[in-house]
Amino acid sequence: MTAPLQTEWWGAIPPAPRHAITFHMPLWSNMLRFRDKDPEILMKFTSMYPRMMPHKDVKELMAKILSVAKTDGQACIPFTTAVSASECVKFATSPSRKAEALSPDQLSIRIFDVANLVRLYVVFLPAQENMVAWPFWMNAGVGISSRWAEDCVKHGEGLREATESEPAPVVVECEAQGVLRERIAGLMERAPAGPPRKAKVTPDDVYLYQTGMASIYSVHQYLLSVYNAKSVLFGFAFHSTPHVLEDFGPGFKFLGNGTPEEIDELEQYLKEEAKEGRKIQAVWLEFPSNPNLSTPDIGRLRKLADGYGFLLLIDDTLGSFCNVDVLEVADIVLTSLTKSFSGYADVMAASAVLNPSSARYPELKALFKKFYTNQFYNGDAEALEKNSRDYMSRSATLNNNALRLVEFLQTLAEDPKSSVAKVFYPTTLPSLPCYKERMRSATEDFTPGYGCLFSVELDTLEATAAFYDNLNLHKGPHLGAPLTLIIPYVMALYGKELDKMADYGMNEKQIRVAVGLENTDTLIEEFRIAIKAADGAKKNTFVSLT
């Protein structure tokens, strides 16, 4: 057993640089208050995932903008494109917001230049109504990054209001952006899983975004501009993805288990839509899914895509493109580079990669040429380029740590005396053949694995709380960080919708584990101690923990 953690509660996990995207929140009782959005708990945080709450540098930039704007009782939300600002206003005034919807005269967009650094398009609205618009920042992910905000604040004396007719500051891409596109293109073609492709990915097929959700939101917007049709979300996905598909466009069909039976259901749905003269624009999925790690049969989905004319968009973040090759079947591969590609929990980014062998490639290439603008900040690109240099070696450690822990826990899950009920990882689930079919070939320097994320289910709520409280590891969201992070993902994000979550095999007794780079045996020992506490909780009487 290692020494008890010394990390500050509510603060960033080590090494805790200025731009940390993590936080540490011990104790099950605190997690329940977080689930309930207890304002006293939320006020304690000194670090937070930057899409959930504004980073301190973003807050400081907002304050400077309000000072220059000379407004009273107003809040502001800064973006780096006019399109994003306009979409934020559209979102806040949409009838779909029902009673929350603001009237158009409550919002305005004003332009500010920061020296020669950037032009900002800033949404102003009454301070008391700020949370009506804030979900756009959270789910679309297109807000200004903390590094960009920091540099804007440093040049605060050059912050001034501008007009559209004035020339905007010219932003030139740094060298790191090109290096990243080349690196990602190379990884996409490294040790492919299938037969030789018609064409190979080039750096020009790699598009960079400021967050994982920005890539999903932006691509969805591109497609809506042409097709304006419903989508399908196949299998469970990160919680912001369904919000994007629901809040923008004509809606989506959700098949949340991602099973072969749901592929049958999808096929029947497509037939019925075709009879009515309709077709969907895209099927979105994660490979594997978050947080239950099931893997859909993307080969069958590819055949449906070809037959019914929809696009197949695959998010490979959890599998990670060092381990899995989904390009053979996807039209677009989306990846949150914030996670294991970066690996140091201090920068947010994403990529969308077009498959040049796809029959839809010319069409998609034209679409991206028309709509894509690079809003990935040079400072973030430089941090990500440096972080990702050791992506492959870190991934080998992450794969090994996760697999060894899963093997340890799976043995306990098979023991009726243990409080461990079930382990969710590609290797423990019936969908394993679907994952293995897309694994990259092993090479002399790297053997592909199953990723850094798994979930473990305890058999009682009391055991779950005891496990969480006694596991001497960091508690919070994120994955792919240097240090292991655990979170009761279902409880924290869906604690008010547990009845609905049961339909997808999820409940409040599940803990999501994102392994880090610690010594494997040390991690296993920490889990052994926590499980001993969970086993002990079964033998005692507890008051209700909910």
Side-chain angles (χ1 to χ4, degrees), residues 305-525:
D306 293 338
Y308 288 91
F310 62 81
L311 292 160
L312 186 57
L313 282 61
I314 301 180
D315 183 337
D316 69 348
T317 300
L318 296 197
S320 198
F321 43 50
C322 65
N323 295 315
V324 297
D325 175 18
V326 299
L327 193 66
E328 180 188 357
V329 296
D331 295 295
I332 306 175
V333 177
L334 300 115
T335 309
S336 174
L337 305 176
T338 309
K339 309 304 191 298
S340 54
F341 183 78
S342 169
Y344 293 96
D346 67 347
V347 64
M348 302 184 76
S351 61
V353 178
L354 302 187
N355 178 2
S357 298
S358 165
R360 306 283 293 274
Y361 177 74
E363 171 188 352
L364 291 172
K365 197 69 176 174
L367 197 63
F368 274 68
K369 182 177 181 180
K370 180 177 181 180
F371 290 107
Y372 174 78
T373 58
N374 187 358
Q375 297 302 307
F376 186 42
Y377 183 49
N378 283 335
D380 293 317
E382 289 166 351
L384 182 63
E385 189 281 317
K386 182 179 179 181
N387 287 359
S388 61
R389 291 174 190 174
D390 62 353
Y391 165 62
M392 296 295 287
S393 60
R394 282 188 291 99
S395 294
T397 301
L398 295 175
N399 287 340
N400 179 67
N401 279 349
L403 183 60
R404 288 280 305 279
L405 278 170
V406 165
E407 290 171 344
F408 166 68
L409 293 168
Q410 182 63 22
T411 300
L412 295 176
E414 295 167 1
D415 179 357
K417 297 179 181 179
S418 173
S419 56
V420 177
K422 190 172 183 179
V423 185
F424 300 82
Y425 195 56
T427 60
T428 68
L429 300 174
S431 60
L432 176 60
C434 294
Y435 185 99
K436 294 183 74 170
E437 185 179 7
R438 305 298 166 181
M439 291 182 78
R440 294 189 183 274
S441 304
T443 59
E444 289 185 5
D445 60 342
F446 188 81
T447 299
Y450 300 92
C452 68
L453 195 77
F454 67 88
S455 291
V456 57
E457 182 177 327
L458 286 299
D459 61 354
T460 68
L461 197 56
E462 291 81 4
T464 307
F467 173 81
Y468 185 84
D469 285 350
N470 287 276
L471 186 54
N472 186 36
L473 294 168
H474 289 92
K475 318 292 172 63
H478 191 51
L479 59 101
L483 299 176
T484 298
L485 280 160
I486 72 167
I487 185 172
Y489 186 88
V490 178
M491 174 66 82
L493 273 67
Y494 301 101
K496 302 297 186 180
E497 306 172 86
L498 293 176
D499 289 345
K500 185 170 72 173
M501 290 302 101
D503 294 337
Y504 308 109
M506 288 183 274
N507 60 64
E508 70 272 35
K509 296 176 292 183
Q510 294 166 354
I511 302 290
R512 196 186 77 170
V513 181
V515 301
L517 303 174
E518 299 97 331
N519 175 271
T520 309
D521 292 336
T522 300
L523 283 175
I524 291 174
E525 183 59 23

Side-chain angles (χ1 to χ4, degrees), residues 98-145:
K98 300 178 181 177
E100 287 187 341
L102 301 180
S103 62
D105 61 1
Q106 289 180 284
L107 299 99
S108 62
I109 299 173
R110 295 165 65 177
I111 300 171
F112 294 82
D113 286 347
V114 185
N116 62 348
L117 191 67
V118 65
R119 169 159 288 182
L120 298 176
Y121 298 84
V122 184
V123 175
F124 287 82
L125 71 165
Q128 69 272 19
E129 304 291 356
N130 190 42
M131 292 311 297
V132 176
W134 193 251
F136 178 83
W137 175 288
M138 292 173 61
N139 295 321
V142 293
I144 189 169
S145 78

Side-chain angles (χ1 to χ4, degrees), residues 68-200:
V68 171
K70 294 181 171 58
T71 60
D72 293 321
Q74 292 275 294
C76 70
I77 307 177
F79 299 96
T80 56
T81 69
V83 171
S84 294
S86 296
E87 285 297 321
C88 180
V89 170
K90 183 179 177 181
F91 170 84
T93 58
S94 171
S96 65
R97 304 305 309 279
K98 300 178 181 177
E100 287 187 341
L102 301 180
S103 62
D105 61 1
Q106 289 180 284
L107 299 99
S108 62
I109 299 173
R110 295 165 65 177
I111 300 171
F112 294 82
D113 286 347
V114 185
N116 62 348
L117 191 67
V118 65
R119 169 159 288 182
L120 298 176
Y121 298 84
V122 184
V123 175
F124 287 82
L125 71 165
Q128 69 272 19
E129 304 291 356
N130 190 42
M131 292 311 297
V132 176
W134 193 251
F136 178 83
W137 175 288
M138 292 173 61
N139 295 321
V142 293
I144 189 169
S145 78
S146 61
R147 277 187 183 79
W148 212 338
E150 179 190 15
D151 286 348
C152 286
V153 170
K154 287 179 181 178
H155 294 83
E157 71 283 354
L159 175 67
R160 65 177 187 86
E161 189 157 7
T163 64
E164 193 69 66
S165 61
E166 297 177 68
V170 177
V171 179
V172 179
E173 277 191 17
C174 65
E175 182 182 359
Q177 301 232 17
V179 173
L180 285 167
R181 284 192 286 267
E182 290 180 7
R183 185 171 297 161
I184 292 167
L187 286 164
M188 281 287 168
E189 295 295 345
R190 189 195 65 82
R197 298 193 249 269
K198 296 177 182 178
K200 290 188 176 183

Side-chain angles (χ1 to χ4, degrees), residues 279-313:
K279 67 178 183 179
I280 62 171
Q281 65 183 20
V283 166
W284 298 75
L285 63 92
E286 294 187 358
F287 191 96
S289 62
N290 185 5
N292 53 16
L293 283 301
S294 63
T295 309
D297 185 344
I298 58 176
R300 279 191 66 190
L301 292 173
R302 179 70 261 167
K303 291 178 182 177
L304 290 178
D306 293 338
Y308 288 91
F310 62 81
L311 292 160
L312 186 57
L313 282 61

Side-chain angles (χ1 to χ4, degrees), residues 193-254:
R197 298 193 249 269
K198 296 177 182 178
K200 290 188 176 183
V201 172
T202 70
D204 288 341
D205 297 320
V206 179
Y207 298 84
L208 299 174
Y209 295 86
Q210 60 268 58
T211 66
M213 286 313 306
S215 68
I216 291 171
Y217 163 78
S218 298
V219 172
H220 180 55
Q221 290 289 84
Y222 305 165
L223 301 183
L224 287 174
S225 70
V226 176
Y227 311 114
N228 195 33
K230 287 186 177 181
S231 297
V232 170
L233 180 58
F234 191 80
F236 217 79
F238 179 66
H239 73 103
S240 287
T241 300
H243 283 296
V244 165
L245 299 180
E246 180 178 20
D247 291 341
F248 305 97
F252 74 108
K253 183 176 179 61
F254 183 39

